[in-house]
């Protein structure tokens, strides 16, 4: 760090203190300075406002997502502290390289592709609700918000949806445990095993093409050359990581909110426009992904702070999402908020490619719950993550409701 007298603020996105009161921490930080320096994890900058998060997110030449050594500088990717994982694609490259990878991925996330997915998401959702409907009890996390996004992501990639428990457990462990703890180490080992098995799938798709992302990637080329197995595996790894626990957190937070505020349920169930704006507000308010890091590539100024070449910076989507300069009543849920230009899917060229999938899952799952267990009440045993620095999610969210009958059908 090259700055003199930086505005120091005690911020650690992985700490239990942050998990307990993220909005209060971000508010205090924002009131001090638009960009602060924290000594946590060997030191990094943090954006505290919408404008600075937006400016940095849109400037990948200065705020790089890359990993590895480039132009004489060590880049450490998009997470703090850096993970000993493979080089994740496309999340750990910058434009123009990024554009080529996004182009080969786009067909799997197009409006047509998402429309084709809907019957499967509905089938997964119905099946999950069928498993619990007669009992009158559900854990929203274990029984619904985890399996549906995990099965959907596996289906997109081309892996068996029934393998969802293995994937969900690994990614749940990765994001909910702090790096360096046994739970996190176990998750890293499980993900490494998944990554290795993906290479067998790549070989299979090169020989036997199917209708899935794996096949699409094995058949794609960039600048006239096919993607290597390593590149395909790195894209699959990011897609699995991006799709599995994030939408889980969004759904669990929504069911928690609707548990506390049942007065919104009828309108959400009946009015699609209201359901859609409620989804955007849940994304803004809870910010399922709190932030991602960048490496500063040259000495620069952000919000009056002198950032040095090689510094790390955390783009704090969550702080941006509660900035009063951008949102009226930022710390309140306003289900029909409009406009709602939240940063929950990121800002700039890496903006989430899976956003349409997440929104589709949200609509289907929330509608199904409000139709089949409309009177649910939250039950004891709720357990929130004590580390929300990556994903702001829940371990458990139990509820009770008037029992009903399964409608049948396979997952
Ligand atoms: C509520 C759900 C979700 C949230 C909050 C979320 C959030 C994000 C954010 C903030 C980024 C930007 C990363 C950056 O700027 O460095 C991102 C990228 C990404 N997301 Fe999502 N995501 C969600 C769902 C999904 C789903 C369902 C998928 C796939 C099935 C997915 C796949 C990806 C991928 C592949 C990227 C990397 C894009 C790139 O680097 O260009 N995400 N996501």
């Amino acid at each position: 760090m090259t700055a003199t007298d930086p505005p120091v603020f005690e911020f650690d996105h992985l700490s239990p203190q942050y998990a307990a009161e993220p909005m209060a921490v971000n508010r205090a930080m924002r009131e001090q300075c638009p960009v602060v320096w924290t000594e946590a994890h060997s030191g990094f900058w943090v954006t505290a406002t919408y404008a600075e998060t937006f400016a940095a997110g849109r400037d990948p030449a200065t705020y790089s997502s890359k990993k590895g050594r480039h132009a004489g500088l060590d880049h450490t990717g998009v997470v703090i502290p850096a993970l000993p994982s493979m080089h994740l694609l496309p999340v750990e490259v910058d434009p123009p390289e990024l554009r080529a990878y996004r182009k080969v991925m786009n067909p799997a996330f197009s409006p047509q592709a998402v429309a084709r997915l809907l019957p499967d998401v509905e089938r997964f959702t119905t099946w999950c609700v069928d498993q619990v409907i007669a009992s009158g009890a559900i854990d929203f996390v274990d029984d619904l918000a985890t399996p549906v996004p995990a099965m959907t992501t596996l289906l997109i990639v081309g892996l068996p949806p029934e393998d969802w428990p293995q994937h969900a457990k690994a990614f749940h462990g990765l994001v909910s445990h702090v790096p360096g703890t046994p739970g996190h180490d176990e998750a890293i080992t499980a993900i490494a095993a998944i990554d290795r098995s993906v290479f067998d799938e790549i070989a299979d798709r090169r020989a036997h093409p199917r209708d899935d992302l794996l096949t699409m990637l094995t058949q794609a080329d960039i600048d006239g050359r096919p993607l290597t197995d390593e590149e395909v595996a790195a894209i699959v790894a990011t897609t699995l990581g991006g799709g599995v626990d994030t939408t889980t957190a969004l759904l669990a937070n929504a069911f928690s909110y609707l548990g506390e505020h049942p007065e919104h349920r009828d309108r959400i169930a009946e009015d699609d426009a209201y359901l859609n704006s409620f989804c955007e507000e849940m994304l803004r308010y809870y910010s399922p992904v709190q932030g991602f890091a960048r490496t500063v590539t040259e000495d620069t100024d952000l919000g009056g702070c002198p950032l040095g070449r090689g510094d790390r910076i955390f783009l704090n989507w969550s702080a941006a999402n509660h900035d009063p300069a951008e949102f009226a009543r930022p710390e309140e849920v306003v289900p029909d908020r409009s406009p709602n230009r939240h940063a929950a899917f990121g800002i700039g060229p890496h903006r989430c490619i899976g956003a349409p999938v997440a929104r589709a899952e949200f609509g289907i799952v929330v509608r199904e719950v409000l139709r089949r267990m409309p009177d649910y009440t939250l039950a004891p045993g709720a357990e929130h993550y004590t580390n929300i620095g990556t994903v702001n999610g829940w371990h458990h969210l139990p509820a009770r409701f008037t029992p009903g009958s399964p409608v049948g059908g396979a997952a």
Side-chain angles (χ1 to χ4, degrees):
M1 217 248 313
T2 56
T4 51
D5 296 333
V8 176
F9 186 90
E10 207 175 304
F11 174 91
D12 181 355
H13 53 304
L14 304 181
S15 67
Q17 292 79 5
Y18 182 71
E21 313 188 276
M23 267 187 236
V25 171
N26 286 329
R27 187 188 329 118
M29 189 163 68
R30 196 182 308 110
E31 282 165 6
Q32 181 176 324
C33 208
V35 181
V36 301
W37 174 260
T38 173
E39 296 292 347
H41 308 291
S42 309
F44 61 98
W45 296 97
V46 190
T47 60
T49 60
Y50 190 89
E52 272 66 31
T53 309
F54 194 86
R58 300 270 303 231
D59 181 4
T62 313
Y63 303 94
S64 171
S65 296
K66 281 185 180 172
K67 198 165 189 170
R69 194 156 177 87
H70 304 277
L73 186 67
D74 284 327
H75 293 59
T76 21
V78 294
V79 288
I80 294 175
L83 283 179
S85 64
M86 69 160 82
H87 181 191
L88 294 170
L89 292 174
V91 78
E92 289 178 337
V93 292
D94 295 331
E97 216 183 340
L98 169 66
R99 279 194 281 277
Y101 289 114
R102 293 278 296 218
K103 199 168 156 205
V104 300
M105 294 176 75
N106 274 340
F109 297 94
S110 67
Q112 295 80 354
V114 175
R116 278 199 304 275
L117 264 183
L118 298 183
D120 291 305
V121 181
E122 281 163 5
R123 184 166 54 87
F124 297 150
T125 306
T126 303
W127 181 82
C128 288
V129 173
D130 271 2
Q131 306 309 300
V132 296
I133 194 76
S135 72
I138 184 169
D139 181 331
F140 278 121
V141 178
D142 285 348
D143 301 330
L144 190 59
T146 296
V148 174
M151 287 194 258
T152 305
T153 308
L154 291 170
L155 185 71
I156 294 171
V157 168
L159 297 173
E162 59 274 20
D163 288 352
W164 70 265
Q166 174 203 357
H167 290 79
K169 184 168 185 265
F171 288 103
H172 220 47
L174 183 77
V175 299
S176 64
H177 293 108
V178 175
T181 58
H184 195 268
D185 292 347
E186 199 183 307
I188 294 272
T189 305
I191 289 169
I194 292 172
D195 289 343
R196 281 194 299 277
S197 71
V198 166
F199 280 89
D200 297 334
E201 299 288 337
I202 294 169
D204 174 75
R205 292 316 185 284
R206 291 205 190 277
H208 310 288
R210 291 192 215 161
D211 180 15
D212 56 26
L213 179 66
L214 271 161
T215 304
M216 205 178 281
L217 297 174
T218 52
Q219 293 182 343
D221 59 36
I222 289 190
D223 301 331
R225 64 155 183 94
L227 293 181
T228 64
D229 286 5
E230 286 69 25
E231 286 174 309
V232 174
I235 293 173
V236 166
T238 310
T239 306
L240 292 173
V244 170
D245 213 59
T246 50
T247 315
T248 303
L250 173 65
L251 284 165
N253 282 314
F255 290 127
S256 163
Y257 179 79
L258 289 175
E260 305 286 346
H261 300 274
E263 68 277 12
H264 297 298
R265 293 184 193 179
D266 287 351
R267 188 159 170 210
I268 288 168
E270 285 155 15
D271 179 345
D272 281 352
Y274 196 71
L275 169 70
N276 293 341
S277 62
F278 176 67
C279 173
E280 299 309 308
E281 184 65 346
M282 292 292 99
L283 282 159
R284 183 195 72 83
Y285 186 79
Y286 292 104
S287 303
V289 174
Q290 294 276 297
F292 270 118
R294 302 288 189 257
T295 302
V296 180
T297 60
E298 59 191 12
D299 292 353
T300 189
D301 177 284
L302 185 66
C305 284
L307 276 53
R309 175 174 151 83
D311 287 352
R312 300 282 285 147
I313 183 165
F314 185 73
L315 305 189
N316 190 337
W317 320 128
S318 178
N321 281 341
H322 300 106
D323 184 347
E326 176 65 22
F327 301 99
R329 295 189 282 151
E331 296 188 10
E332 278 175 51
V333 171
V334 181
D336 55 355
R337 183 182 290 278
S338 177
N340 189 351
R341 286 182 289 261
H342 64 73
F345 286 123
I347 288 173
H350 285 281
R351 198 167 180 283
C352 180
I353 199 168
V357 177
R359 289 180 170 124
E361 290 174 320
F362 184 89
I364 289 170
V365 174
V366 169
R367 253 189 234 109
E368 181 87 342
V369 165
L370 296 184
R371 192 171 66 81
R372 297 182 70 190
M373 42 185 87
D375 63 350
Y376 82 80
T377 52
L378 297 176
E383 194 189 339
H384 200 267
Y385 287 176
T386 50
N387 157 32
I388 66 161
T390 310
V391 171
N392 181 10
W394 294 78
H395 289 291
H396 296 290
L397 188 67
R400 298 203 175 284
F401 54 88
T402 304
S405 303
V407 296

